[in-house]
Amino acid sequence: MSTTKGTSAGVTSDRPVPGSTPAGRSVLKVTLDPGPAEPEPTVEDPSPDPMADQPHETVITTKGFSSWYGKFQALHELDLEIPKKQVTALIGPSGCGKSTFLRWINRMNDTISGAYSRGEMVLAGEDITSSQCDVVDLRRRVGMVFQRPNPFPKSIFENIAYGARLHRRYDRSDLEELVEHSLRQAAIWDEVKDRLKDSALGLSGGQQQRLCIARAIAVGPEVLLMDEPCSALDPKSSAAIEELIRGLKQNYTIVIVTHNMQQAARISDRTSFFYEGRLIESGDTEQIFTTPAKKQTDDYISGRFG
Amino acid sequence: MSAIGSRDSLLQLTRSGRSRSARLREFVNRAFFTSCLLITSIAIIALTVLLTTVAVQGWDGLSLEFLTNFSSRNPEAAGIKAALWGSVWVCGVCGLVALPIGVGTAIYLEEFAGKNRLTSFVRTNISNLAGVPSIVYGIIGLTIFARMFGLPGIGTETEPGLTVGSTWYDSYYTADGGVAFRPLESRGAPAGAIVDGTPLLLVDEVDTSVVQPRQLPALVVADGDRGFSVALEEAAIPITIGTAEEARDRGATLAGFVRMTESGNPRVWDRTTAYLTDATLSGAVLDQATSVEGRWLSCEDLAGETLFVRVPDDRYRIESGDRAHRLRTVLPRITRTQLEATSTPERIEVMLGEGGRLVQGELWNEYRVQGRRPTRYALVEAKAAPAADPPPVGGWLPVYPRLRNEFLETGSRTVRASVVADDAPIDGLPPGAILASDAGAPLPDQRLERRSWYYFQFPFGKGVFAGGLTLMLVILPVVIIASVEALRAVPNSLRQASLAMGATRWQTVQKVTLPASIPMIMTGSILAMSRAIGEAAPILVLGVALFITRTPQNLMDQFTILPMQIYNWAQRPGESFQELAAAGIIVLLVVLLTFNAAAILIRQRLQSRLES
């Protein structure tokens, strides 16, 4: 499928194979305080990324990226780099353009009439904003998890198998294996393994969201976009998702939009602060939350506005 | 300070109005409730009275025979079979065409089309079209589907430019004097030559029946390609066709003029019996004709050609009015005379068409087929038998169930014909030949068209197909609107989830949107279909035949539908027809309720499957 594009030639090899991680190992032994916590990301991160000290490879690079909804300019001249196999958090007040930016990464903005962009957004050497870009393949490589859990009104098994079957034909046994691996990676296998044939709508909100994550990784993406994945969930479910995200970054590059500053501090490696369509500041999470360079950032993370 | 001040005044404001009477409020509440109840009960009572009236009136008319009989002028024998099957066929075509188009359009509008001026124009107009009176669609259907705008070069309804699945038969005389039809090489091939000129009789009893005794004392004899003979008991009496001068040369006396029937078709029995019996003949001439004995009679056919006919005796009774009357009086009289006149023993074979049973009369020539419809097809054939055989008087007549009844076209109308079964040939007729014919229909010099079940023509004409397409126009906007609403009800998050996984739009529609919206689409569509079943106006405009005594045989066949059949009965005088109409309404209601029940069932089954 991806062989149609020469630009993405180097990507195929290090694409994570879904389900290749041993079952359950991605869930880390983390103790989390779901309540308000001090922004101390380094202390809370119990599993130092083995690649943390090395310079990170960049997956997505944007240069002078602007976008519009009709006449309204939503993003202004963004320059941002998203490192590979790390969690990048996008924070900022509502309407600041972070979701818009996220939706450009897998071109979901194509579904909105009047949305267009200028500037470069390069994923693994390929300009994904160009009209030559195969959107279907792009979305396979860049998965997305939405704010509200949106499982299909099908069985749990069918939900996971859906995405995989869009792109390839599978034997039944392969498909069952793929579904199991995906569910294990999303740390929901133990809860649903006995009722794979039941409707996904019967799961709780947090389980549904983890199911959606399993569904997204069953397609075999490199990048996972998460648009406020915990905002519709209770604190306990949020904690489970956060734990999951921390585990997932071993295999996936994760970009997460969140309004919860503590969450950003807890789970992300890098943080970018958006304000009114502009990228105000971007850097290591520790640096942003402890010594922000810009006053606006400081005001926002300390709760003085936003 | 100001905030506290405003809160105080707000508190004061909330308590400032005059307090309402609690009793008054309660009274108004009760009054409204009571009036609602009253209005609802009035509606329900009116509906109940209406339905009860229909049920009481129509109950007696309901029977299995009402469902299995065709329409008839005799209310006792009338049934709704043709209309019921016509409705099934037309609505089937309508549904099969309207649903894919309607749902497809809805999918395009809702899932693929962007929001620009053109699509919003289309959306608005579909809503408008749903409100257009259905009679307008009838006119569109007539113009487009039945006639295809009457474009030159594509033919007409009755002479279509393109036909598939039709075989033409040409007439010929068999060796023993019968008339049969054999397949033509192609539609345009010349008519087969008339082989023989031996006696032939074609008479009908009730309007749909055929009796064709061959070599019996016959009324009409074809004699070459221009002349006719009138055959009475002993011998054939020639009718000579010639000019007035020729007649005078032969010593004929001009008795008067007789006009031919209104039908331009050169039908043998029409031609000969018509001037004796048909109501279109001028009375004065008929009177003269009765008094003429063995003299020449001059008559004129529709082409204005003058024929001279020598009429032997006053053995013909001139009957006016119904053909049925004629047969009952004329035929038995002649055959009885024949029996007395001839001493030769004869064997009589009676063949029956579908339905009915033969009852032997006192005399062998008295036959009647009993059944709910008093007389049906019967073919009487007399053959000279060896002298040793005893006359069959008093015995049973051998019955040949060899004739298959079929509907055949003459190009302008449909006739019923008896076809010799392939595996049971009758002497002198090739297998597959067509033998007898319907009242007043195809005769030696006509051609028959046999239409197979897949017969297709273009333009479509006023058949089932055109009717179904016309009804499709009526319900298409409703189907589209229902489907669009159903698709709109699917949460957008599901579409987004599917697209975000790299599904194409079509994959999303096929696997997510359509399955989720199918229950609502089905409900809307089946309700639209029940509207189609009850529609009469567009079909009325299309101008289908009202009196039809058969079910559709192919997509281009003529048809009638339940509402039109009911209307047809309801407007006739007489209590019995009102009963038929009421019984028809019950059948229509049952069909409608069945459809609605199916809609509910389908919706529930699909919904529970999706949500379980």
Side-chain angles (χ1 to χ4, degrees):
Chain A
M1 203 166 286
S2 61
T3 50
T4 49
K5 282 190 305 298
T7 44
S8 61
V11 181
T12 353
S13 56
D14 49 18
R15 188 174 294 165
V17 182
S20 60
T21 340
R25 198 182 295 169
S26 56
V27 185
L28 304 166
K29 39 187 194 313
V30 190
T31 48
L32 268 174
D33 182 6
E38 288 298 307
E40 291 177 340
T42 44
V43 178
E44 293 230 349
D45 190 350
S47 67
D49 193 330
M51 294 163 73
D53 300 332
Q54 303 158 15
H56 281 287
E57 198 182 333
T58 305
V59 177
I60 300 163
T61 315
T62 59
K63 271 187 198 135
F65 188 81
S66 307
S67 94
W68 289 262
Y69 291 119
K71 283 178 181 167
F72 172 74
Q73 186 166 5
L75 294 175
H76 299 262
E77 300 284 325
L78 292 191
D79 295 310
L80 183 63
E81 294 190 343
I82 291 171
K84 192 169 183 171
K85 295 194 179 175
Q86 292 219 330
V87 179
T88 304
L90 309 182
I91 59 170
S94 293
C96 68
K98 51 194 190 310
S99 284
T100 301
F101 177 74
L102 197 73
R103 292 167 61 88
W104 273 114
I105 301 178
N106 71 345
R107 295 273 294 269
M108 282 303 282
N109 277 331
D110 287 7
T111 60
I112 296 167
S113 62
Y116 63 99
S117 69
R118 227 170 264 162
E120 262 184 23
M121 183 180 280
V122 178
L123 170 72
E126 184 192 5
D127 185 1
I128 58 176
T129 59
S130 83
S131 54
Q132 271 101 49
C133 172
D134 179 359
V135 177
V136 164
D137 190 55
L138 171 71
R139 288 178 186 158
R140 195 192 60 68
R141 289 158 58 197
V142 183
M144 188 158 187
V145 177
F146 295 85
Q147 184 171 357
R148 289 184 172 277
N150 52 358
F152 298 124
K154 302 168 186 277
S155 71
I156 293 170
F157 184 90
E158 287 297 319
N159 261 281
I160 308 295
Y162 175 84
R165 278 201 286 231
L166 289 175
H167 303 286
R168 289 167 185 280
R169 298 186 187 282
Y170 287 92
D171 293 339
R172 185 76 196 172
S173 57
D174 284 356
L175 196 63
E176 278 167 6
E177 209 179 319
L178 175 63
V179 168
E180 183 181 337
H181 277 304
S182 306
L183 288 169
R184 279 189 194 282
Q185 269 212 318
I188 190 180
W189 171 251
D190 293 332
E191 292 158 69
V192 300
K193 65 183 173 192
D194 297 326
R195 45 172 176 155
L196 290 177
K197 294 255 182 309
D198 292 0
S199 172
L201 299 179
L203 298 173
S204 75
Q207 286 173 325
Q208 286 189 3
Q209 192 63 299
R210 276 180 287 155
L211 181 79
C212 290
I213 293 172
R215 186 175 68 180
I217 58 185
V219 189
E222 300 150 36
V223 181
L224 272 182
L225 309 176
M226 299 194 180
D227 192 355
E228 302 181 40
C230 302
S231 67
L233 305 179
D234 64 296
K236 192 158 176 262
S237 302
S238 300
I241 301 274
E242 284 178 22
E243 213 172 283
L244 172 61
I245 290 170
R246 248 188 294 258
L248 285 174
K249 76 173 178 183
Q250 290 184 347
N251 293 319
Y252 306 99
T253 305
I254 294 172
V255 185
I256 180 167
V257 165
T258 179
H259 276 149
N260 183 334
M261 236 79 68
Q262 284 78 29
Q263 186 178 59
R266 280 194 297 270
I267 61 174
S268 69
D269 304 303
R270 291 184 62 81
T271 299
S272 299
F273 173 60
F274 283 63
Y275 184 66
E276 289 184 344
R278 289 186 168 79
L279 179 64
I280 305 299
E281 195 175 348
S282 182
D284 285 341
T285 301
E286 189 188 344
Q287 176 252 315
I288 293 283
F289 279 90
T290 51
T291 54
K294 300 271 175 64
K295 189 176 178 300
Q296 273 171 314
T297 317
D298 194 23
D299 287 351
Y300 182 71
I301 58 176
S302 55
R304 272 193 280 278
F305 84 96
Chain B
M1 284 299 282
S2 65
I4 292 166
S6 70
R7 190 182 296 164
D8 272 354
S9 62
L10 184 67
L11 267 172
Q12 283 159 14
L13 272 172
T14 53
R15 282 148 203 210
S16 62
R18 276 184 296 116
S19 67
R20 280 181 178 276
S21 152
R23 282 180 59 195
L24 183 68
R25 281 204 287 174
E26 186 58 26
F27 173 75
V28 170
N29 184 33
R30 273 170 182 274
F32 184 75
F33 171 75
T34 317
S35 55
C36 280
L37 202 66
L38 211 64
I39 291 164
T40 315
S41 357
I42 287 172
I44 289 174
I45 287 168
L47 198 66
T48 317
V49 168
L50 193 73
L51 288 177
T52 317
T53 318
V54 168
V56 166
Q57 205 177 16
W59 189 250
D60 291 340
L62 275 182
S63 64
L64 194 62
E65 281 174 336
F66 180 70
L67 293 179
T68 55
N69 274 16
F70 290 110
S71 189
S72 167
R73 294 194 176 92
N74 171 16
E76 292 300 310
I80 206 165
K81 186 175 179 186
L84 192 59
W85 281 100
S87 276
V88 169
W89 273 71
V90 169
C91 291
V93 170
C94 169
L96 286 179
V97 179
L99 295 190
I101 295 182
V103 176
T105 310
I107 287 175
Y108 172 75
L109 286 178
E110 206 44 32
E111 305 285 333
F112 289 93
K115 284 201 171 104
N116 55 39
R117 273 192 190 172
L118 184 70
T119 52
S120 64
F121 178 77
V122 169
R123 283 189 182 98
T124 316
N125 276 289
I126 287 170
S127 310
N128 289 339
L129 283 174
V132 170
S134 57
I135 199 155
V136 177
Y137 290 114
I139 295 167
I140 298 173
L142 181 67
T143 320
I144 299 178
F145 302 127
R147 299 192 176 140
M148 215 41 88
F149 303 108
L151 291 173
I154 60 163
T156 62
E157 297 157 54
T158 48
E159 304 244 329
L162 171 78
T163 59
V164 176
S166 84
T167 319
W168 285 82
Y169 287 77
D170 212 345
S171 64
Y172 69 102
Y173 285 98
T174 57
D176 60 349
V179 176
F181 295 83
R182 64 187 155 202
L184 270 182
E185 290 298 310
S186 69
R187 196 181 164 193
I194 293 173
V195 182
D196 209 333
T198 34
L200 164 77
L201 170 65
L202 285 165
V203 257
D204 69 329
E205 193 157 350
V206 187
D207 52 337
T208 55
S209 307
V210 177
V211 183
Q212 188 193 33
R214 291 185 290 144
Q215 292 188 346
L216 267 183
L219 291 175
V220 183
V221 176
D223 185 11
D225 54 0
R226 285 207 70 196
F228 303 98
S229 301
V230 177
L232 282 181
E233 292 83 38
E234 296 84 6
I237 296 143
I239 301 174
T240 312
I241 297 178
T243 62
E245 279 169 12
E246 281 170 3
R248 267 185 229 111
D249 289 348
R250 298 187 188 195
T253 313
L254 201 64
F257 288 96
V258 178
R259 262 178 211 291
M260 292 298 288
T261 60
E262 79 279 13
S263 146
N265 285 333
R267 289 194 208 114
V268 178
W269 76 267
D270 265 359
R271 244 190 217 186
T272 321
T273 58
Y275 66 78
L276 296 168
T277 63
D278 203 288
T280 56
L281 303 179
S282 68
V285 175
L286 291 177
D287 287 345
Q288 288 181 15
T290 54
S291 64
V292 168
E293 274 193 31
R295 273 187 279 171
W296 286 84
L297 183 66
S298 162
C299 58
E300 194 183 328
D301 67 12
L302 274 191
E305 214 178 322
T306 307
L307 310 173
F308 289 90
V309 179
R310 188 169 152 262
V311 179
D313 291 313
D314 60 345
R315 280 173 185 150
Y316 282 108
R317 284 249 315 278
I318 307 297
E319 305 280 348
S320 58
D322 206 324
R323 292 172 190 151
H325 186 51
R326 181 188 68 233
L327 179 84
R328 287 195 195 102
T329 55
V330 174
L331 185 71
R333 192 167 64 88
I334 293 173
T335 47
R336 195 166 300 162
T337 317
Q338 163 74 14
L339 186 66
E340 289 159 3
T342 56
S343 54
T344 325
E346 277 186 317
R347 190 158 57 88
I348 303 297
E349 292 169 352
V350 178
M351 288 177 216
L352 292 180
E354 61 180 353
R357 125 185 105 82
L358 191 86
V359 174
Q360 171 109 43
E362 185 189 342
L363 285 169
W364 59 267
N365 59 305
E366 284 180 9
Y367 59 89
R368 210 165 283 116
V369 182
Q370 282 196 335
R372 187 171 163 134
R373 303 186 55 81
T375 43
R376 303 206 78 160
Y377 287 65
L379 188 140
V380 180
E381 187 182 20
K383 282 182 181 171
D389 281 9
V393 177
W396 287 100
L397 302 180
V399 173
Y400 289 73
R402 292 175 176 177
L403 298 183
R404 181 156 47 90
N405 285 313
E406 278 194 10
F407 292 97
L408 302 166
E409 312 288 326
T410 64
S412 58
R413 59 183 174 142
T414 307
V415 297
R416 230 193 292 222
S418 299
V419 178
V420 181
D422 292 355
D423 54 347
I426 290 175
D427 298 341
L429 290 173
I434 295 167
L435 196 63
S437 71
D438 201 347
L443 283 163
D445 38 8
Q446 271 190 331
R447 286 180 193 176
L448 286 180
E449 186 186 8
R450 179 193 258 168
R451 293 178 172 175
S452 52
W453 61 269
Y454 58 86
Y455 174 75
F456 178 85
Q457 70 170 55
F458 185 84
F460 304 135
K462 292 168 180 173
V464 169
F465 197 57
L469 291 183
T470 306
L471 282 186
M472 173 207 75
L473 290 183
V474 177
I475 66 162
L476 195 55
V478 184
V479 174
I480 294 175
I481 290 171
S483 309
V484 162
E485 291 302 326
L487 289 168
R488 215 169 266 173
V490 176
N492 216 19
S493 65
L494 294 185
R495 279 187 199 94
Q496 299 240 326
S498 174
L499 289 175
M501 272 185 274
T504 59
R505 280 200 183 267
W506 169 242
Q507 282 175 319
T508 307
V509 168
Q510 186 196 0
K511 304 235 177 89
V512 178
T513 330
L514 204 53
S517 59
I518 227 53
M520 246 178 106
I521 291 179
M522 291 298 289
T523 313
S525 304
I526 293 176
L527 289 180
M529 285 302 295
S530 20
R531 183 186 167 189
I533 289 179
E535 276 288 350
I539 302 295
L540 201 68
V541 174
L542 198 63
V544 301
L546 273 171
F547 191 80
I548 289 189
T549 53
R550 60 180 177 137
T551 57
Q553 309 290 306
N554 54 58
L555 278 181
M556 303 295 144
D557 213 346
Q558 49 182 335
F559 68 99
T560 187
I561 53 170
L562 287 172
M564 284 186 69
Q565 183 67 70
I566 292 165
Y567 168 70
N568 183 257
W569 282 329
Q571 66 173 357
R572 289 202 199 183
E575 183 64 25
S576 46
F577 280 112
Q578 300 306 314
E579 277 180 16
L580 284 177
I585 290 171
I586 295 176
V587 172
L588 183 61
L589 284 178
V590 167
V591 173
L592 277 176
L593 291 180
T594 313
F595 258 76
N596 287 356
I600 294 168
L601 269 179
I602 289 172
R603 185 179 52 195
Q604 283 186 342
R605 283 194 63 176
L606 287 175
Q607 217 139 34
S608 62
R609 212 181 67 197
L610 286 172
E611 284 168 2
S612 68

